[in-house]
Amino acid sequence: MTHKTLQIRLFPASCTRYSFLLCSLAFIAFFCFSNPLLAGSVKDLKSQQISEILFNIKAYYVDDLSLTKSAEDAFNNQQVEMLLNQLDPYSKYLNENDLDALFNNTNGQYTGVGIEVKEVDDNITVVGVVKNSPAKKAGILAGDIIVNVNGTSTLTRSLEQVASLIKDDSFSTVKLTIKRAQYKKTLSFTVDRREINLESASSQLLDSGTGYLAINNFSNHTLHEVALQIAALKNDYRTPLKGLVIDLRDNPGGTLQSAVAVADLFLQSGTIVTTKGRYYDANQAYYAKRGDILKGIPIVVLINENSASAAEILAAALKDNKRAKVVGNQSYGKGSVQSLIPLGDGNTALKLTTAKYFTPAGISIEGVGVTPDVAIAQATLPQSNKAVIIKNEQNKNTPQFEHEILGDLQLVKAKQLLSMQ
């Protein structure tokens, strides 16, 4: 089975120069944006912007490209575009529309239909539907195969091309034709685009006092949402909280500050993460402050091959500080940090990789990922299926998690480990 995922989603930080850092992996294909979060066109750049871009790359990019002064003077738009293509895939020029969508996403808001789509065996397949989204209301389900968008067949088109069709704002609604298992004929849906609020965290108290906390991304609101979810688990009248599963599977990351703050909730002391780059402020160390929100209650963290960046920071921080066991698959391995650098009047920006981060053990996970303590292979769970309740009777009584019961081997192992502590 082949899988391909479109890299179109970002979780941004503030546009204050150098002071806010992104550490996001843009790989979840939520076709929900009115503006594509891809590199903006550099064909219309003014000479001042070209000079700014060259200066920032020379001064702050994580690797020294050794640009000479004469080369800087000679650069034109085409050469700038070629230079940007030579940088790592996380460094991009962002135009005004890109920035607007980026900032909205930081606050957990976006405009679209709310479906997560991957290319599976050459089919554009829905693998997740956002709760309270137009797609959810219309009745689109995980597993649906998209065969037509607004009258255009998807059968010979790439994931990127299908994304463009869905995001085409010349249509006020999106008409999707899908193929669904057990149905001989295709099904048609008309889905409105609208603003969707994306929850960073959700939770459920499982049997025997095990808490389940799913963190879907790291935005400006994640710390607050996680704290509220933990408080709800601790205050549940049914049984005392005896252990916690933190599910980071399919979490693409987010802001560095959010990951550090969430890790600090569970740690009494120790290093959370360090960053290293060429310029002075890129070299930072983040430490936990005294105070564990769970007061030592055991933790197991779930990761998979799509857990990336900020999610990897949290997993490694808890693992290296001996605060949690990590269960699942080797994570993605995105170990770089981006700074959002305004250009000109602030309507455009350069998202530039300025540092690499290192786990508390001093290890760079770039291209390698976090190694779980207990490796258990399992098919990827889409975002909307992360909050899975194993027991049938609990699922029936928990309407906020309207998901099918799955044989979640990693979650079962996590519960087993917690029961042994």
Side-chain angles (χ1 to χ4, degrees):
M1 179 178 289
T2 59
H3 296 268
K4 180 183 179 184
T5 313
L6 180 64
Q7 302 189 4
I8 62 170
R9 185 174 180 194
L10 299 170
F11 294 93
S14 168
C15 198
T16 303
R17 184 181 295 262
Y18 314 131
S19 61
F20 287 86
L21 301 176
L22 299 131
C23 87
S24 62
L25 174 66
F27 68 70
I28 287 188
F30 272 105
F31 294 141
C32 46
F33 301 105
S34 58
N35 298 312
L37 292 183
L38 300 175
S41 173
V42 297
K43 296 179 180 179
D44 299 322
L45 288 177
K46 304 295 189 293
S47 59
Q48 179 183 349
Q49 290 175 302
I50 291 177
S51 298
E52 285 185 90
I53 289 173
L54 294 174
F55 170 81
N56 287 311
I57 291 175
K58 182 177 182 180
Y60 302 111
Y61 187 60
V62 66
D63 296 322
D64 187 1
L65 298 183
S66 300
L67 294 175
T68 64
K69 189 67 174 66
S70 58
E72 293 179 35
D73 293 337
F75 264 82
N76 56 33
N77 296 61
Q78 184 177 4
Q79 290 169 319
V80 169
E81 188 170 14
M82 292 174 61
L83 175 61
L84 290 173
N85 289 333
Q86 294 175 18
L87 305 182
D88 72 338
Y90 312 112
S91 298
K92 302 184 189 305
Y93 166 76
L94 304 177
N95 62 27
E96 187 172 358
N97 289 334
D98 299 332
L99 282 179
D100 287 341
L102 201 61
F103 295 143
N104 287 336
N105 211 6
T106 295
N107 293 317
Q109 295 179 334
Y110 53 85
T111 299
V113 299
I115 55 176
E116 181 185 352
V117 181
K118 291 182 181 179
E119 186 176 313
V120 181
D121 292 337
D122 298 323
N123 293 317
I124 307 300
T125 305
V126 177
V127 294
V129 184
V130 178
K131 185 174 67 175
N132 299 325
S133 68
K136 182 76 172 179
K137 184 178 179 180
I140 295 176
L141 303 175
D144 288 347
I145 296 174
I146 300 176
V147 297
N148 193 288
V149 179
N150 291 328
T152 301
S153 173
T154 65
L155 297 181
T156 60
R157 295 180 181 269
S158 67
L159 191 61
E160 292 84 355
Q161 291 171 326
V162 175
S164 298
L165 292 173
I166 294 176
K167 293 182 295 184
D168 186 355
D169 56 12
S170 62
F171 295 91
S172 59
T173 59
V174 181
K175 295 182 179 180
L176 300 176
T177 303
I178 63 108
K179 184 189 300 181
R180 181 175 294 173
Q182 300 179 344
Y183 282 79
K184 293 183 179 180
K185 295 183 178 180
T186 59
L187 305 175
S188 296
F189 297 87
T190 299
V191 187
D192 294 323
R193 292 189 186 89
R194 65 170 174 81
E195 187 176 282
I196 301 170
N197 293 317
L198 181 65
E199 295 179 350
S200 291
S202 57
S203 67
Q204 175 64 34
L205 187 64
L206 308 182
D207 57 315
S208 304
T210 299
Y212 173 88
L213 173 69
I215 304 178
N216 300 319
N217 59 69
F218 289 89
S219 71
N220 289 343
H221 303 296
T222 303
L223 174 63
H224 177 68
E225 291 184 28
V226 168
L228 287 177
Q229 297 294 339
I230 294 296
L233 291 172
K234 292 169 65 176
N235 294 329
D236 194 296
Y237 67 89
R238 288 175 292 174
T239 182
L241 184 63
K242 299 177 182 178
L244 180 67
V245 177
I246 301 177
D247 194 345
L248 300 177
R249 292 173 295 184
D250 298 319
N251 183 321
T255 63
L256 175 65
Q257 290 84 355
S258 178
V260 169
V262 172
D264 196 13
L265 282 178
F266 304 105
L267 294 172
Q268 281 277 20
S269 61
T271 301
I272 296 175
V273 67
T274 58
T275 63
K276 298 178 182 179
R278 288 196 302 115
Y279 77 102
Y280 180 80
D281 287 339
N283 299 278
Q284 300 287 340
Y286 299 86
Y287 301 100
K289 298 183 288 292
R290 189 170 181 81
D292 175 0
I293 194 172
L294 292 180
K295 300 186 183 301
I297 291 174
I299 300 172
V300 173
V301 176
L302 300 180
I303 60 172
N304 67 3
E305 63 278 4
N306 290 334
S307 304
S309 200
E312 292 172 296
I313 287 177
L314 176 58
L318 298 184
K319 177 186 177 184
D320 289 356
N321 283 290
K322 309 300 181 184
R323 184 62 183 90
K325 293 289 186 181
V326 178
V327 172
N329 304 28
Q330 193 85 2
S331 64
Y332 187 90
K334 195 274 185 180
S336 60
V337 180
Q338 286 71 50
S339 296
L340 197 58
I341 306 173
L343 300 173
D345 60 4
N347 291 328
T348 61
L350 185 64
K351 184 168 71 73
L352 191 67
T353 296
T354 54
K356 294 181 180 179
Y357 71 76
F358 295 80
T359 70
I363 299 172
S364 171
I365 59 91
E366 179 65 31
V368 178
V370 175
T371 301
D373 296 301
V374 181
I376 296 181
Q378 179 170 288
T380 298
L381 293 178
Q383 292 278 7
S384 62
N385 278 358
K386 287 179 68 175
V388 173
I389 307 302
I390 297 300
K391 296 178 69 176
N392 287 301
E393 63 272 17
Q394 283 185 297
N395 189 72
K396 293 175 182 177
N397 295 325
T398 312
Q400 65 267 38
F401 296 122
E402 298 173 351
H403 310 305
E404 59 183 324
I405 304 300
L406 299 178
D408 193 336
L409 301 179
Q410 294 171 348
L411 180 56
V412 170
K413 184 61 179 180
K415 292 169 64 179
Q416 181 186 25
L417 289 174
L418 290 173
S419 69
M420 297 167 58
Q421 300 187 48

